[in-house]
Amino acid sequence: MNKKIFSGVQPSGNLHIGNYLGAIKNWVELQDKYDSVFCVVDLHAITTPQDPEELRKKTIEVAKIYLAAGIDPEKCAIFIQSHIPEHTELTWILNTIIRMSDLSRMTQFKDKSRAISAKAVHKNSKGEIIEEKVMTGELLGGRTNKNINVGLFDYPALMAADILLYDTEVVPVGEDQLQHIELTRVLAKRFNQKFGETFKIPEAGVVKEGMRIMGLDDPTKKMSKSATSEYNYIGLTDDADTVRNKIKKAVTDSGSEIKYTDDKPALKNLINIYSLLDDKKPEEVVEKYKGKGYADFKNDLAEVIIKFLEPFQEKFNSLSDDEVLGILKKGAEKVRPMAEAKMKEVKEKMGLI
Ligand code: AQP
């Protein structure tokens, strides 16, 4: 029996090279060695506001990206999270053992809840609105935004359910998700202790390279598909001109020399992207641009990205929606017996008739 892996991506925006380098690339390499389950986590996506039409489109797009990247549906199960209701059912069970303090510690929740604006409405004694003010995270001064939906807070419980439902042993994710995997381990142990051995204790499978690709407009924050500016990321479906434009506008550090150091985080991030996509060590990239300036480096970086994206996009564009929906349906059929069996076991252990 091979070890099991599970991972997923939210259809919450345009997938970017950070999602690819931090997660999907690794899945492609692992699919031959592990029993692999890859999910489009639409229920996670709705923890932030989504337009229904866009969500439908993005859900199919994410599956196409998996396939274009080289995930083979004959070897793995690819499916949509909401097609297997046991994910939400197990989330509820886990909600009964997860603590408010567990969830309050999660940095992703703190970051995302601060990014969502809150509307402050001031009324006079007659109930008439005298002032309406949109409070962004900054205006809230780091305080928790009370208008955040419970789903965003509970996001890690749903993620734990995804993982534990399939006896997952390894979860290949980017470094930003490590805290959620650690919590999943805590929940599995807590449940097993209380109700008897039920869940496998999973491990994170983080690749060192590509661990965290930073935003092109701000190298202190990770590249993110829900970023407010599209100049934050290179989308996997961006065309050549868009890539050139985004790399041209990407922030760089002061100076003109191509150096790979922590005090030049913007440049370091661009060198990382270059080296990962061109299969070179960062030192080799630095050596190549010795005596050259940022402009030469950035022009070539754009071409390296375009060269990577071309065959990827060709495969992506060749896939029809119907074909992909068929693959997703088959994937759900493959995993359904596992999910049902695990929920049956959980219910029995807890005394649910
Ligand atoms: N910048 C990144 N560098 C490396 N890995 C990354 N991942 C995300 N951003 C980077 C990894 O991609 C996988 C899928 O992520 P997700 O869809 O579950 O959500 P996320 O981690 O919250 O990613 P985004 O792009 O920032 O999405 P939004 O903005 O919608 O929240 C994960 O394995 C993640 O580690």
Side-chain angles (χ1 to χ4, degrees):
M1 281 274 285
N2 285 336
K3 278 191 170 182
K4 285 237 176 70
I5 60 172
F6 176 97
S7 202
V9 172
Q10 303 179 71
S12 49
N14 295 323
L15 262 68
H16 49 74
I17 51 172
N19 296 127
Y20 176 76
L21 294 170
I24 302 171
K25 183 173 182 247
N26 193 17
W27 305 353
V28 179
E29 283 154 22
L30 295 172
Q31 66 179 337
D32 291 318
K33 289 190 236 138
Y34 293 86
D35 280 345
S36 311
V37 179
F38 298 121
C39 192
V40 183
V41 290
D42 54 349
L43 297 170
H44 275 112
I46 56 169
T47 58
T48 53
Q50 304 295 335
D51 171 69
E53 206 42 58
E54 267 301 288
L55 180 63
R56 242 171 253 134
K57 207 175 116 210
K58 292 287 173 205
T59 301
I60 297 173
E61 201 175 290
V62 170
K64 281 189 185 175
I65 283 173
Y66 291 178
L67 297 165
I71 300 293
D72 180 352
E74 295 300 322
K75 294 182 192 158
C76 319
I78 307 175
F79 71 103
I80 299 175
Q81 188 184 32
S82 63
H83 287 187
I84 303 292
E86 282 77 9
H87 287 250
T88 34
E89 204 177 4
L90 183 56
T91 303
W92 181 256
I93 302 282
L94 295 177
N95 275 341
T96 65
I97 61 160
I98 204 163
R99 298 170 190 151
M100 296 289 283
S101 57
D102 293 328
L103 295 172
S104 307
R105 280 189 295 109
M106 297 294 113
T107 48
Q108 178 179 287
F109 171 72
K110 290 188 205 163
D111 290 347
K112 286 197 174 179
S113 59
R114 272 183 211 136
I116 294 172
S117 54
K119 203 178 194 185
V121 181
H122 297 132
K123 293 180 181 173
N124 62 18
S125 55
K126 290 185 207 142
E128 294 158 344
I129 295 174
I130 49 169
E131 191 192 11
E132 267 190 356
K133 199 155 80 180
V134 173
M135 311 274 283
T136 64
E138 268 151 41
L139 271 175
L140 285 162
R143 278 176 291 128
T144 308
N145 184 340
K146 296 271 193 288
N147 291 340
I148 291 303
N149 71 71
V150 174
L152 190 66
F153 189 57
D154 203 30
Y155 182 113
L158 179 58
M159 183 161 161
D162 294 344
I163 296 166
L164 299 178
L165 208 44
Y166 301 105
D167 282 337
T168 305
E169 286 156 285
V170 183
V171 192
V173 281
E175 185 240 17
D176 57 304
Q177 293 297 326
L178 282 181
Q179 204 185 20
H180 290 163
I181 309 293
E182 192 43 49
L183 180 57
T184 303
R185 289 166 59 83
V186 169
L187 294 178
K189 286 180 195 164
R190 207 178 277 167
F191 188 97
N192 288 350
Q193 233 163 30
K194 208 163 170 200
F195 301 106
E197 212 53 30
T198 310
F199 295 123
K200 283 235 163 86
I201 313 298
E203 272 170 33
V206 174
V207 274
K208 201 166 162 285
E209 322 78 51
M211 263 167 88
R212 193 180 287 228
I213 303 296
M214 310 310 278
L216 299 180
D217 56 349
D218 179 359
T220 64
K221 296 200 180 95
K222 71 164 190 161
M223 188 175 277
S224 177
K225 57 180 127 65
S226 56
T228 42
S229 162
E230 61 174 315
Y231 288 98
N232 169 274
Y233 59 82
I234 299 286
L236 290 169
T237 52
D238 280 351
D239 62 29
D241 284 344
T242 307
V243 172
R244 287 190 191 105
N245 193 21
K246 285 184 178 178
I247 291 297
K248 205 168 160 188
K249 294 219 163 80
V251 297
T252 37
D253 308 281
S254 56
S256 59
E257 214 184 321
I258 306 301
K259 275 165 107 184
Y260 188 75
T261 49
D262 287 339
D263 62 345
K264 298 210 178 294
L267 199 53
K268 189 175 178 191
N269 187 42
L270 296 180
I271 294 173
N272 276 337
I273 296 172
Y274 193 127
S275 72
L276 288 165
L277 292 179
D278 205 32
D279 213 8
K280 281 192 171 60
K281 293 203 176 85
E283 307 84 71
E284 292 176 77
V285 178
V286 171
E287 186 57 33
K288 187 170 173 196
Y289 291 92
K290 219 171 176 180
K292 294 186 181 169
Y294 287 168
D296 285 327
F297 168 70
K298 278 179 143 188
N299 284 340
D300 290 357
L301 171 60
E303 298 314 312
V304 163
I305 297 172
I306 293 163
K307 197 169 148 218
F308 157 74
L309 288 179
E310 262 167 8
F312 175 87
Q313 291 177 357
E314 205 174 302
K315 178 84 203 294
F316 177 91
N317 291 326
S318 73
L319 295 160
S320 76
D321 289 6
D322 284 346
E323 190 183 345
V324 172
L325 285 169
I327 289 171
L328 291 167
K329 190 165 174 258
K330 266 200 195 150
E333 281 158 14
K334 241 193 236 179
V335 297
R336 186 166 288 118
M338 285 185 257
E340 285 175 353
K342 184 55 76 180
M343 264 325 289
K344 188 167 179 280
E345 185 187 350
V346 167
K347 285 179 178 171
E348 273 168 14
K349 294 242 167 84
M350 296 186 84
L352 299 169
I353 297 173

